[in-house]
Amino acid sequence: MLRRLHHWIGLLVAAWLAIATVSGGLLLFKDEYYGWRYPALPDAPGFFEPAGAVIESIVADSTRPITVIGLPTAALPAYHVYYEDGGEALFHPETATQVAGWDVFDALPAFLFELHVYMLLGEFGHVVIGLLGLAAALNVCIGLALWWRRRSTFRLRFLLPRGTQKKHLIRGHAAQGAVAGVVLVITLLSGSAIVFPDVSSAALGNLLGSTSGLRPT
């Protein structure tokens, strides 16, 4: 029963994990993409120092509600503005002039972010991703339980399958899961906690014996 459950849950979450891994990996290079895509951005190191007057000018001139303003960095020397309607824009760090602007499907990084976080389905997709993360964490736990029954046969040399035959692939899969299982569970649960913050906060409160929520001072 556990083996069959592990099999079908694995098939369910495998496609999502592939999409999440590829999109998340590409998002690591979004600043480099912006630098290549928008050559009007400055490349001098001194330009990424935040300036209050520039931020005030961006906010005052905006005709759209702003939710977040990302400060300039060495990798992306521009103010990255996120609008309430989902649009984004880049502003020059010295002059506060808009260098670029786009909506969700107008720029590759914005599309990848929506795919990675919302599966292109809005808030419903965000919830689905949280549930898939919990399912994946459960599946890793099931895999570890299955491995525990045969732990006496575990060898580190099985981490790299000797061939493409089914028995070699299964041994490699089991060994890799045993080595990385705990880290995977923590990663998946922490990601799901971001999707369901109220539930995770209440669960941690009960686990740690806290009866009141923590608030920053």
Side-chain angles (χ1 to χ4, degrees):
M1 176 63 180
L2 280 180
R3 190 178 299 276
R4 182 171 297 181
L5 185 62
H6 182 68
H7 173 78
W8 287 109
I9 293 179
L11 288 177
L12 175 66
V13 301
W16 162 65
L17 285 175
I19 293 173
T21 301
V22 173
S23 60
L26 291 175
L27 281 171
L28 294 175
F29 303 97
K30 62 182 178 63
D31 289 346
E32 287 78 6
Y33 171 84
Y34 289 137
W36 166 79
R37 179 68 177 79
Y38 306 112
L41 291 174
D43 54 9
F47 283 171
F48 64 80
E49 189 70 27
V54 176
I55 296 175
E56 290 178 0
S57 177
I58 292 173
V59 174
D61 295 340
S62 176
T63 59
R64 304 159 69 182
I66 295 175
T67 56
V68 176
I69 297 180
L71 299 180
T73 64
L76 182 62
Y79 289 93
H80 194 161
V81 176
Y82 299 83
Y83 296 107
E84 196 174 84
D85 58 9
E88 301 176 36
L90 297 178
F91 289 83
H92 194 283
E94 281 195 331
T95 64
T97 56
Q98 182 172 323
V99 176
W102 59 86
D103 291 318
V104 173
F105 297 103
D106 296 335
L108 180 59
F111 172 80
L112 290 173
F113 180 82
E114 289 294 317
L115 179 63
H116 185 76
V117 178
Y118 299 106
M119 291 181 64
L120 306 180
L121 297 174
E123 284 299 324
F124 174 73
H126 196 48
V127 173
V128 170
I129 284 179
L131 295 175
L132 286 172
L134 293 175
L138 172 63
N139 204 40
V140 174
C141 293
I142 293 174
L144 289 173
L146 292 171
W147 170 83
W148 186 257
R149 298 175 180 177
R150 303 177 60 184
R151 63 188 183 279
S152 60
T153 63
F154 171 74
R155 300 291 185 274
L156 279 177
R157 65 175 182 271
F158 293 155
L159 284 172
L160 295 177
R162 287 183 167 182
T164 57
Q165 295 180 0
K166 184 177 180 179
K167 64 178 182 179
H168 295 309
L169 295 176
I170 291 177
R171 282 179 179 176
H173 176 75
Q176 293 158 13
V179 171
V182 175
V183 175
L184 284 173
V185 169
I186 294 174
T187 302
L188 291 164
L189 289 180
S190 63
S192 296
I194 296 174
V195 179
F196 307 113
D198 294 336
V199 176
S200 58
S201 178
L204 285 174
N206 292 330
L207 179 64
L208 301 175
S210 174
T211 58
S212 61
L214 297 176
R215 295 290 184 270
T217 58

